[in-house]
Protein backbone atom coordinates (compact mmCIF):
# COMPACT_ATOMS: atom_id res chain seq x y z
CA UNK A 1 0.00 0.00 0.00
CA UNK A 2 1.43 3.39 -0.98
CA UNK A 3 0.71 6.06 1.61
CA UNK A 4 0.67 9.49 -0.03
CA UNK A 5 -0.74 11.49 2.86
CA UNK A 6 -2.31 10.93 6.23
CA UNK A 7 -4.83 8.14 5.86
CA UNK A 8 -6.52 5.31 7.70
CA UNK A 9 -5.49 1.71 7.16
CA UNK A 10 -8.13 -0.76 8.37
CA UNK A 11 -7.00 -4.29 9.14
CA UNK A 12 -8.94 -7.35 10.23
CA UNK A 13 -7.31 -10.39 11.82
CA UNK A 14 -9.00 -13.79 11.54
CA UNK A 15 -8.29 -17.40 12.33
CA UNK A 16 -8.21 -19.44 9.11
CA UNK A 17 -9.46 -22.61 10.84
CA UNK A 18 -12.91 -21.27 11.58
CA UNK A 19 -12.97 -17.67 10.33
CA UNK A 20 -13.17 -16.52 13.95
CA UNK A 21 -12.82 -12.77 14.09
CA UNK A 22 -10.00 -11.89 16.47
CA UNK A 23 -9.66 -8.15 16.04
CA UNK A 24 -10.40 -5.16 13.86
CA UNK A 25 -7.66 -2.54 14.19
CA UNK A 26 -7.34 0.97 12.82
CA UNK A 27 -4.16 2.90 12.07
CA UNK A 28 -3.37 6.41 10.88
CA UNK A 29 0.00 7.03 9.32
CA UNK A 30 1.75 9.73 7.37
CA UNK A 31 3.80 9.05 4.25
CA UNK A 32 7.07 7.38 5.15
CA UNK A 33 6.09 6.87 8.79
CA UNK A 34 7.05 3.33 9.84
CA UNK A 35 7.62 3.95 13.53
CA UNK A 36 4.39 2.34 14.69
CA UNK A 37 3.98 -0.50 12.23
CA UNK A 38 3.01 -3.20 14.67
CA UNK A 39 0.02 -5.28 15.65
CA UNK A 40 -1.25 -5.50 19.23
CA UNK A 41 -1.01 -8.78 21.12
CA UNK A 42 -3.80 -11.28 20.43
CA UNK A 43 -4.54 -14.66 22.00
CA UNK A 44 -5.03 -17.70 19.77
CA UNK A 45 -4.93 -21.43 20.38
CA UNK A 46 -1.97 -23.53 19.30
CA UNK A 47 -3.94 -25.08 16.43
CA UNK A 48 -5.04 -21.81 14.84
CA UNK A 49 -3.38 -20.11 11.89
CA UNK A 50 -3.76 -16.34 11.91
CA UNK A 51 -4.12 -14.17 8.82
CA UNK A 52 -3.87 -10.40 8.69
CA UNK A 53 -5.76 -8.81 5.81
CA UNK A 54 -6.67 -5.29 4.76
CA UNK A 55 -10.40 -4.66 5.03
CA UNK A 56 -11.98 -4.48 1.61
CA UNK A 57 -9.71 -6.95 -0.14
CA UNK A 58 -11.62 -9.90 1.29
CA UNK A 59 -15.43 -10.07 0.83
CA UNK A 60 -17.00 -8.83 4.02
CA UNK A 61 -19.27 -11.84 4.43
CA UNK A 62 -16.15 -14.06 4.66
CA UNK A 63 -15.71 -12.89 8.23
CA UNK A 64 -19.37 -12.09 8.89
CA UNK A 65 -18.73 -8.42 9.66
CA UNK A 66 -21.17 -5.56 9.56
CA UNK A 67 -19.58 -3.21 7.01
CA UNK A 68 -17.20 -0.73 8.60
CA UNK A 69 -18.33 2.83 7.94
CA UNK A 70 -15.54 4.68 6.12
CA UNK A 71 -15.76 8.36 5.10
CA UNK A 72 -16.98 8.69 1.52
CA UNK A 73 -14.84 10.46 -1.06
CA UNK A 74 -15.37 11.10 -4.73
CA UNK A 75 -14.55 8.21 -6.99
CA UNK A 76 -11.03 8.60 -8.33
CA UNK A 77 -9.87 10.55 -5.30
CA UNK A 78 -7.09 8.35 -3.97
CA UNK A 79 -5.25 10.98 -2.02
CA UNK A 80 -6.76 10.30 1.37
CA UNK A 81 -7.89 6.74 1.44
CA UNK A 82 -6.87 3.17 0.72
CA UNK A 83 -10.40 2.03 -0.02
CA UNK A 84 -13.93 2.94 1.02
CA UNK A 85 -17.41 1.49 0.87
CA UNK A 86 -18.39 3.53 -2.20
CA UNK A 87 -15.43 2.14 -4.11
CA UNK A 88 -16.33 -1.42 -3.08
CA UNK A 89 -19.96 -1.05 -4.11
CA UNK A 90 -19.08 0.37 -7.52
CA UNK A 91 -16.12 -1.76 -8.52
CA UNK A 92 -16.41 -5.12 -6.78
CA UNK A 93 -19.89 -6.51 -7.51
CA UNK A 94 -19.22 -9.76 -5.66
CA UNK A 95 -18.86 -8.04 -2.29
CA UNK A 96 -21.79 -9.04 -0.11
CA UNK A 97 -22.88 -7.29 3.05
CA UNK A 98 -24.37 -10.44 4.49
CA UNK A 99 -27.22 -10.30 6.99
CA UNK A 100 -26.70 -14.00 7.77
CA UNK A 101 -24.10 -13.34 10.46
CA UNK A 102 -22.78 -16.64 11.81
CA UNK A 103 -25.10 -18.71 9.59
CA UNK A 104 -23.84 -18.18 6.08
CA UNK A 105 -24.43 -21.81 5.10
CA UNK A 106 -28.07 -22.33 4.13
CA UNK A 107 -27.60 -26.08 4.54
CA UNK A 108 -27.98 -27.78 7.91
CA UNK A 109 -25.58 -30.59 8.79
CA UNK A 110 -23.39 -29.94 5.78
CA UNK A 111 -20.46 -31.22 7.86
CA UNK A 112 -22.30 -34.53 8.54
CA UNK A 113 -21.93 -34.23 12.31
CA UNK A 114 -25.50 -35.21 13.27
CA UNK A 115 -26.88 -38.73 12.71
CA UNK A 116 -29.80 -39.09 15.14
CA UNK A 117 -31.57 -41.92 13.35
CA UNK A 118 -28.71 -44.29 12.44
CA UNK A 119 -25.17 -44.44 11.06
CA UNK A 120 -26.27 -46.16 7.84
CA UNK A 121 -29.30 -47.02 5.73
CA UNK A 122 -30.33 -49.18 2.80
CA UNK A 123 -33.93 -47.93 2.60
CA UNK A 124 -35.03 -44.81 0.72
CA UNK A 125 -35.77 -41.61 2.62
CA UNK A 126 -34.71 -39.92 5.87
CA UNK A 127 -32.98 -42.68 7.81
CA UNK A 128 -29.40 -41.68 8.68
CA UNK A 129 -27.71 -38.27 8.39
CA UNK A 130 -30.00 -35.49 9.64
CA UNK A 131 -31.71 -33.22 7.11
CA UNK A 132 -30.50 -35.30 4.14
CA UNK A 133 -32.76 -37.57 2.11
CA UNK A 134 -30.98 -40.60 0.63
CA UNK A 135 -33.35 -41.72 -2.13
CA UNK A 136 -33.33 -44.59 -4.57
CA UNK A 137 -35.75 -46.12 -7.05
CA UNK A 138 -35.23 -49.45 -8.89
CA UNK A 139 -31.46 -49.08 -8.44
CA UNK A 140 -30.35 -49.68 -4.85
CA UNK A 141 -27.79 -48.14 -2.53
CA UNK A 142 -26.16 -48.34 0.88
CA UNK A 143 -25.48 -45.05 2.61
CA UNK A 144 -23.08 -44.85 5.56
CA UNK A 145 -21.20 -42.45 7.78
CA UNK A 146 -17.43 -42.58 7.31
CA UNK A 147 -15.01 -41.12 9.86
CA UNK A 148 -12.35 -38.81 8.45
CA UNK A 149 -8.77 -40.02 8.54
CA UNK A 150 -6.10 -37.71 9.90
CA UNK A 151 -5.07 -36.90 6.33
CA UNK A 152 -8.66 -36.05 5.39
CA UNK A 153 -9.06 -33.87 8.48
CA UNK A 154 -5.95 -32.00 7.44
CA UNK A 155 -7.24 -31.65 3.88
CA UNK A 156 -10.70 -30.36 4.83
CA UNK A 157 -9.95 -28.64 8.15
CA UNK A 158 -9.50 -29.64 11.77
CA UNK A 159 -13.25 -29.57 12.38
CA UNK A 160 -14.13 -32.27 9.84
CA UNK A 161 -15.12 -35.53 11.54
CA UNK A 162 -17.35 -37.42 9.08
CA UNK A 163 -18.43 -37.58 5.49
CA UNK A 164 -21.26 -39.19 3.51
CA UNK A 165 -20.69 -42.35 1.47
CA UNK A 166 -23.23 -43.73 -1.01
CA UNK A 167 -22.56 -47.11 -2.62
CA UNK A 168 -24.75 -47.47 -5.71
CA UNK A 169 -25.88 -50.68 -7.39
CA UNK A 170 -27.34 -49.45 -10.66
CA UNK A 171 -30.16 -51.33 -12.41
CA UNK A 172 -30.67 -50.54 -16.08
CA UNK A 173 -34.17 -49.07 -16.16
CA UNK A 174 -35.68 -45.77 -17.29
CA UNK A 175 -37.09 -45.21 -13.78
CA UNK A 176 -33.79 -45.90 -11.97
CA UNK A 177 -32.34 -43.21 -9.79
CA UNK A 178 -30.15 -42.68 -6.71
CA UNK A 179 -30.19 -39.13 -5.33
CA UNK A 180 -29.10 -37.29 -2.18
CA UNK A 181 -30.90 -34.04 -1.42
CA UNK A 182 -31.64 -31.44 1.22
CA UNK A 183 -34.71 -29.22 1.24
CA UNK A 184 -34.10 -25.66 2.48
CA UNK A 185 -37.28 -24.48 4.17
CA UNK A 186 -39.14 -21.43 2.77
CA UNK A 187 -38.77 -20.90 -0.98
CA UNK A 188 -38.75 -17.10 -0.52
CA UNK A 189 -35.35 -17.16 1.24
CA UNK A 190 -33.35 -17.82 -1.92
CA UNK A 191 -35.66 -16.16 -4.45
CA UNK A 192 -33.68 -14.25 -7.08
CA UNK A 193 -30.36 -14.75 -5.32
CA UNK A 194 -26.97 -15.59 -6.75
CA UNK A 195 -25.53 -18.37 -4.62
CA UNK A 196 -22.37 -20.44 -4.54
CA UNK A 197 -22.22 -24.16 -3.82
CA UNK A 198 -18.96 -25.68 -2.56
CA UNK A 199 -18.16 -29.24 -1.49
CA UNK A 200 -15.51 -31.97 -1.49
CA UNK A 201 -16.12 -35.15 -3.47
CA UNK A 202 -14.48 -38.32 -4.75
CA UNK A 203 -15.51 -41.72 -6.13
CA UNK A 204 -14.03 -45.19 -6.40
CA UNK A 205 -13.10 -44.44 -10.03
CA UNK A 206 -13.88 -41.77 -12.64
CA UNK A 207 -17.58 -40.96 -12.27
CA UNK A 208 -20.03 -38.20 -13.09
CA UNK A 209 -21.94 -36.43 -10.32
CA UNK A 210 -24.92 -34.40 -11.43
CA UNK A 211 -26.20 -31.39 -9.46
CA UNK A 212 -29.43 -29.43 -9.81
CA UNK A 213 -31.79 -27.38 -7.63
CA UNK A 214 -35.59 -27.36 -7.44
CA UNK A 215 -38.08 -24.74 -6.21
CA UNK A 216 -41.17 -26.25 -4.55
CA UNK A 217 -44.01 -23.89 -3.64
CA UNK A 218 -45.53 -25.92 -0.84
CA UNK A 219 -48.89 -27.50 -0.14
CA UNK A 220 -52.49 -26.42 0.31
CA UNK A 221 -54.73 -24.62 -2.15
CA UNK A 222 -53.29 -24.30 -5.66
CA UNK A 223 -49.54 -23.63 -5.41
CA UNK A 224 -47.46 -23.06 -8.53
CA UNK A 225 -45.82 -26.10 -10.10
CA UNK A 226 -42.23 -26.79 -9.03
CA UNK A 227 -39.36 -25.30 -11.05
CA UNK A 228 -36.78 -27.97 -11.96
CA UNK A 229 -33.30 -28.05 -13.45
CA UNK A 230 -31.97 -24.92 -11.71
CA UNK A 231 -28.21 -24.44 -11.83
CA UNK A 232 -27.62 -27.82 -13.45
CA UNK A 233 -24.03 -28.97 -13.65
CA UNK A 234 -21.98 -32.17 -14.06
CA UNK A 235 -18.94 -32.64 -11.82
CA UNK A 236 -16.28 -35.12 -12.93
CA UNK A 237 -15.07 -37.14 -9.94
CA UNK A 238 -11.89 -39.17 -9.59
CA UNK A 239 -10.62 -41.45 -6.85
CA UNK A 240 -8.97 -38.55 -5.02
CA UNK A 241 -10.66 -35.75 -3.12
CA UNK A 242 -11.36 -32.56 -5.08
CA UNK A 243 -13.03 -29.36 -3.94
CA UNK A 244 -15.72 -28.16 -6.33
CA UNK A 245 -17.48 -24.80 -6.50
CA UNK A 246 -20.45 -23.73 -8.59
CA UNK A 247 -22.16 -20.32 -8.77
CA UNK A 248 -25.70 -20.02 -10.12
CA UNK A 249 -28.84 -17.89 -9.76
CA UNK A 250 -32.11 -19.02 -8.22
CA UNK A 251 -35.15 -17.77 -10.19
CA UNK A 252 -37.22 -14.99 -8.69
CA UNK A 253 -40.58 -16.21 -7.41
CA UNK A 254 -42.54 -13.15 -8.53
CA UNK A 255 -45.87 -14.27 -10.00
CA UNK A 256 -45.60 -17.64 -8.22
CA UNK A 257 -48.24 -18.85 -5.76
CA UNK A 258 -47.17 -20.37 -2.45
CA UNK A 259 -49.41 -23.06 -0.97
CA UNK A 260 -52.04 -21.96 1.53
CA UNK A 261 -50.45 -24.14 4.24
CA UNK A 262 -47.69 -21.57 4.52
CA UNK A 263 -44.10 -20.88 3.47
CA UNK A 264 -42.92 -23.52 5.96
CA UNK A 265 -44.22 -26.15 3.53
CA UNK A 266 -42.25 -24.69 0.59
CA UNK A 267 -38.56 -25.18 -0.10
CA UNK A 268 -35.57 -24.90 -2.39
CA UNK A 269 -33.81 -28.25 -2.64
CA UNK A 270 -30.27 -29.03 -3.70
CA UNK A 271 -29.80 -32.44 -5.30
CA UNK A 272 -26.82 -34.68 -5.98
CA UNK A 273 -27.71 -37.41 -8.47
CA UNK A 274 -25.42 -40.45 -8.66
CA UNK A 275 -27.46 -42.69 -10.99
CA UNK A 276 -30.24 -41.50 -13.28
CA UNK A 277 -32.35 -43.20 -15.92
CA UNK A 278 -34.31 -41.58 -18.71
CA UNK A 279 -37.44 -40.89 -16.64
CA UNK A 280 -35.42 -39.24 -13.86
CA UNK A 281 -33.79 -37.09 -16.50
CA UNK A 282 -36.97 -35.92 -18.20
CA UNK A 283 -38.66 -35.14 -14.87
CA UNK A 284 -35.85 -33.36 -13.01
CA UNK A 285 -33.01 -32.44 -15.32
CA UNK A 286 -33.77 -32.53 -19.04
CA UNK A 287 -30.56 -30.60 -19.79
CA UNK A 288 -28.42 -33.62 -18.82
CA UNK A 289 -28.17 -36.94 -20.65
CA UNK A 290 -28.99 -40.24 -18.96
CA UNK A 291 -26.15 -41.69 -16.88
CA UNK A 292 -26.50 -45.04 -15.15
CA UNK A 293 -23.49 -46.06 -13.08
CA UNK A 294 -22.62 -48.21 -10.09
CA UNK A 295 -19.91 -47.23 -7.66
CA UNK A 296 -18.98 -45.42 -4.46
CA UNK A 297 -19.57 -41.68 -4.06
CA UNK A 298 -18.18 -39.64 -1.15
CA UNK A 299 -19.29 -36.11 -0.23
CA UNK A 300 -17.95 -33.80 2.50
CA UNK A 301 -18.43 -30.25 3.79
CA UNK A 302 -21.28 -29.14 1.56
CA UNK A 303 -22.02 -25.41 1.71
CA UNK A 304 -24.49 -23.11 -0.05
CA UNK A 305 -23.99 -19.39 0.56
CA UNK A 306 -24.95 -15.99 -0.81
CA UNK A 307 -22.90 -14.44 -3.59
CA UNK A 308 -20.46 -15.45 -6.28
CA UNK A 309 -17.39 -15.86 -4.07
CA UNK A 310 -16.84 -19.24 -2.34
CA UNK A 311 -15.58 -18.85 1.21
CA UNK A 312 -14.13 -21.37 3.69
CA UNK A 313 -16.56 -23.94 5.05
CA UNK A 314 -18.46 -22.60 8.05
CA UNK A 315 -18.02 -24.82 11.09
CA UNK A 316 -20.84 -24.39 13.59
CA UNK A 317 -20.69 -25.58 17.17
CA UNK A 318 -22.24 -29.05 17.48
CA UNK A 319 -24.83 -27.77 19.96
CA UNK A 320 -26.06 -25.18 17.46
CA UNK A 321 -26.06 -27.67 14.59
CA UNK A 322 -28.05 -30.17 16.65
CA UNK A 323 -30.55 -27.47 17.63
CA UNK A 324 -31.08 -26.59 13.95
CA UNK A 325 -31.74 -30.28 13.22
CA UNK A 326 -34.28 -30.50 16.06
CA UNK A 327 -36.72 -28.26 14.16
CA UNK A 328 -37.18 -31.17 11.75
CA UNK A 329 -36.46 -34.30 13.78
CA UNK A 330 -35.64 -35.31 17.33
CA UNK A 331 -35.71 -38.40 19.46
CA UNK A 332 -35.65 -38.74 23.23
CA UNK A 333 -36.27 -41.30 25.93
CA UNK A 334 -38.76 -40.43 28.62
CA UNK A 335 -39.92 -42.12 31.78
CA UNK A 336 -43.04 -41.45 33.78
CA UNK A 337 -43.92 -42.85 37.21
CA UNK A 338 -47.11 -41.92 39.03
CA UNK A 339 -48.87 -42.94 42.22
CA UNK A 340 -52.65 -42.61 42.15
CA UNK A 341 -55.31 -43.65 44.67
CA UNK A 342 -56.54 -47.16 43.95
CA UNK A 343 -60.09 -45.85 44.05
CA UNK A 344 -59.27 -43.27 41.39
CA UNK A 345 -57.84 -45.47 38.68
CA UNK A 346 -58.71 -44.14 35.22
CA UNK A 347 -57.06 -42.64 32.20
CA UNK A 348 -54.09 -40.49 33.19
CA UNK A 349 -52.44 -37.90 30.95
CA UNK A 350 -48.79 -36.97 30.43
CA UNK A 351 -47.30 -34.10 28.41
CA UNK A 352 -43.68 -34.48 27.23
CA UNK A 353 -42.17 -31.21 25.94
CA UNK A 354 -39.99 -31.18 22.81
CA UNK A 355 -36.41 -29.92 22.70
CA UNK A 356 -37.30 -27.50 19.88
CA UNK A 357 -40.52 -26.20 18.34
CA UNK A 358 -41.12 -28.14 15.14
CA UNK A 359 -41.70 -26.83 11.63
CA UNK A 360 -45.20 -28.29 11.79
CA UNK A 361 -46.96 -30.66 14.18
CA UNK A 362 -44.72 -33.73 13.74
CA UNK A 363 -45.49 -37.35 13.06
CA UNK A 364 -44.72 -39.24 16.28
CA UNK A 365 -43.57 -42.83 16.65
CA UNK A 366 -42.60 -44.90 19.67
CA UNK A 367 -39.95 -47.55 20.21
CA UNK A 368 -38.85 -49.78 23.07
CA UNK A 369 -41.97 -49.13 25.11
CA UNK A 370 -41.95 -50.67 28.59
CA UNK A 371 -45.11 -50.65 30.72
CA UNK A 372 -45.43 -51.60 34.37
CA UNK A 373 -48.75 -51.26 36.16
CA UNK A 374 -50.55 -49.90 33.11
CA UNK A 375 -52.22 -51.58 30.18
CA UNK A 376 -51.68 -49.06 27.38
CA UNK A 377 -50.25 -45.70 26.39
CA UNK A 378 -51.47 -43.86 23.30
CA UNK A 379 -51.19 -40.32 21.89
CA UNK A 380 -54.06 -37.96 22.60
CA UNK A 381 -52.78 -34.93 20.68
CA UNK A 382 -49.58 -33.91 18.88
CA UNK A 383 -48.59 -30.26 18.61
CA UNK A 384 -45.58 -28.27 17.38
CA UNK A 385 -43.97 -28.07 20.84
CA UNK A 386 -45.44 -30.96 22.82
CA UNK A 387 -47.71 -33.97 22.78
CA UNK A 388 -50.23 -35.43 25.20
CA UNK A 389 -50.44 -39.11 26.11
CA UNK A 390 -53.33 -41.15 27.52
CA UNK A 391 -52.11 -43.81 29.95
CA UNK A 392 -54.41 -46.48 31.36
CA UNK A 393 -53.10 -47.66 34.76
CA UNK A 394 -53.97 -51.04 36.25
CA UNK A 395 -52.32 -50.40 39.61
CA UNK A 396 -51.99 -47.50 42.03
CA UNK A 397 -48.32 -47.10 41.09
CA UNK A 398 -47.35 -47.38 37.45
CA UNK A 399 -44.36 -46.68 35.21
CA UNK A 400 -43.80 -46.22 31.51
CA UNK A 401 -40.54 -45.85 29.54
CA UNK A 402 -40.22 -45.38 25.78
CA UNK A 403 -38.22 -43.76 23.01
CA UNK A 404 -40.17 -41.02 21.21
CA UNK A 405 -39.33 -40.01 17.64
CA UNK A 406 -40.75 -36.80 16.15
CA UNK A 407 -40.53 -36.20 12.40
CA UNK A 408 -41.36 -32.81 10.83
CA UNK A 409 -39.13 -33.07 7.75
CA UNK A 410 -40.11 -31.42 4.48
Amino acid sequence: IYITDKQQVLVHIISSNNSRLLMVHEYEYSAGDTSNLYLPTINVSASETVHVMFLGIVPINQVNLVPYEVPTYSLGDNSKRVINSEFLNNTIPNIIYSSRTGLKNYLINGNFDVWQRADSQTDSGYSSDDRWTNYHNVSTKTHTRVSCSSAERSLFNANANNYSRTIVSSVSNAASGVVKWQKIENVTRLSGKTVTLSFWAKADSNKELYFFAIQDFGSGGAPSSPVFDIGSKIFNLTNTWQKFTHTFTIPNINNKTIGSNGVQTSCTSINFMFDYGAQQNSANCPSIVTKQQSGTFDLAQIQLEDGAVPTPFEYRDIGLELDLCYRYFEKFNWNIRLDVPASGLGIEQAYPIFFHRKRIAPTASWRNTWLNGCSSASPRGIFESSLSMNITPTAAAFEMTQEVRLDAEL
Side-chain angles (χ1 to χ4, degrees):
I1 294 177
Y2 294 93
I3 300 175
T4 59
D5 198 351
K6 272 196 172 184
Q7 62 184 35
Q8 291 178 332
V9 179
L10 303 177
V11 174
H12 68 244
I13 305 167
I14 63 170
S15 157
S16 65
N17 290 352
N18 57 11
S19 296
R20 180 169 67 92
L21 177 66
L22 301 174
M23 184 175 296
V24 175
H25 208 69
E26 179 179 314
Y27 307 87
E28 185 172 286
Y29 301 121
S30 297
D33 177 7
T34 60
S35 60
N36 294 310
L37 290 176
Y38 68 92
L39 291 176
T41 301
I42 55 176
N43 296 317
V44 296
S45 67
S47 63
E48 288 184 310
T49 301
V50 172
H51 291 280
V52 179
M53 287 171 275
F54 293 100
L55 188 64
I57 292 175
V58 175
I60 289 172
N61 74 322
Q62 183 164 336
V63 292
N64 298 318
L65 283 175
V66 175
Y68 187 89
E69 290 299 323
V70 184
T72 299
Y73 302 94
S74 300
L75 286 175
D77 176 11
N78 299 308
S79 62
K80 294 183 178 179
R81 62 171 169 81
V82 175
I83 201 163
N84 68 22
S85 56
E86 181 186 11
F87 175 81
L88 294 178
N89 280 325
N90 283 276
T91 62
I92 308 178
N94 290 333
I95 291 293
I96 302 158
Y97 297 89
S98 176
S99 61
R100 293 175 50 76
T101 303
L103 290 169
K104 69 179 179 182
N105 191 357
Y106 283 100
L107 299 172
I108 298 173
N109 202 28
N111 204 36
F112 300 106
D113 289 320
V114 184
W115 301 64
Q116 292 187 80
R117 298 169 177 88
D119 289 338
S120 65
Q121 68 177 94
T122 56
D123 61 334
S124 181
Y126 289 107
S127 294
S128 51
D129 44 344
D130 276 52
R131 296 277 31 246
W132 293 97
T133 296
N134 296 288
Y135 164 90
H136 67 258
N137 186 60
V138 184
S139 295
T140 61
K141 60 97 179 54
T142 299
H143 174 257
T144 60
R145 171 167 64 178
V146 181
S147 297
C148 293
S149 66
S150 58
E152 287 167 333
R153 286 171 59 87
S154 178
L155 178 65
F156 304 147
N157 66 46
N159 294 311
N161 295 309
N162 309 295
Y163 57 88
S164 163
R165 170 166 289 175
T166 304
I167 303 173
V168 177
S169 296
S170 179
V171 175
S172 180
N173 189 293
S176 289
V178 179
V179 191
K180 185 181 188 73
W181 70 67
Q182 183 172 140
K183 295 180 177 181
I184 301 167
E185 181 183 349
N186 188 349
V187 72
T188 68
R189 294 173 65 196
L190 289 165
S191 171
K193 289 189 174 185
T194 295
V195 293
T196 295
L197 173 74
S198 57
F199 62 96
W200 289 87
K202 69 179 178 71
D204 55 343
S205 61
N206 292 351
K207 295 284 192 301
E208 290 183 356
L209 173 65
Y210 178 56
F211 168 82
F212 62 95
I214 299 173
Q215 288 176 315
D216 187 305
F217 298 95
S219 63
S224 297
S225 298
V227 177
F228 295 96
D229 210 10
I230 300 169
S232 304
K233 186 175 177 65
I234 291 177
F235 298 97
N236 295 307
L237 309 188
T238 66
N239 62 0
T240 59
W241 285 108
Q242 301 175 78
K243 186 169 185 178
F244 297 94
T245 64
H246 175 41
T247 297
F248 60 101
T249 299
I250 306 290
N252 196 294
I253 65 168
N254 290 345
N255 303 317
K256 297 292 185 180
T257 301
I258 294 175
S260 58
N261 289 336
V263 293
Q264 73 273 18
T265 67
S266 69
C267 67
T268 303
S269 68
I270 67 157
N271 304 263
F272 295 94
M273 187 174 282
F274 311 114
D275 175 61
Y276 37 104
Q279 287 180 16
Q280 297 286 343
N281 255 49
S282 60
N284 299 311
C285 45
S287 63
I288 301 297
V289 298
T290 298
K291 184 70 174 184
Q292 293 217 240
Q293 53 188 352
S294 297
T296 299
F297 298 82
D298 295 336
L299 297 172
Q301 295 200 323
I302 307 175
Q303 179 162 283
L304 186 73
E305 60 186 308
D306 289 329
V309 179
T311 66
F313 182 82
E314 176 186 57
Y315 174 75
R316 294 192 284 249
D317 180 82
I318 186 62
L320 172 58
E321 203 72 36
L322 187 58
D323 200 46
L324 293 172
C325 292
Y326 282 158
R327 176 167 172 79
Y328 305 93
F329 178 85
E330 71 174 85
K331 67 175 184 177
F332 58 87
N333 292 302
W334 73 300
N335 173 272
I336 183 170
R337 186 182 190 281
L338 288 177
D339 294 304
V340 297
S343 60
L345 291 179
I347 295 177
E348 302 294 328
Q349 293 183 357
Y351 301 89
I353 306 299
F354 306 159
F355 295 150
H356 194 295
R357 185 183 183 93
K358 298 293 173 282
R359 180 182 65 88
I360 57 173
T363 300
S365 60
W366 289 264
R367 299 187 180 195
N368 306 318
T369 300
W370 176 78
L371 303 174
N372 182 31
C374 51
S375 60
S376 65
S378 58
R380 180 171 178 265
I382 303 174
F383 314 100
E384 291 179 11
S385 298
S386 66
L387 61 86
S388 61
M389 297 286 293
N390 284 342
I391 303 170
T392 305
T394 57
F398 66 89
E399 283 186 278
M400 181 189 72
T401 300
Q402 62 185 187
E403 178 189 286
V404 182
R405 295 192 169 203
L406 305 164
D407 191 332
E409 292 284 5
L410 281 155

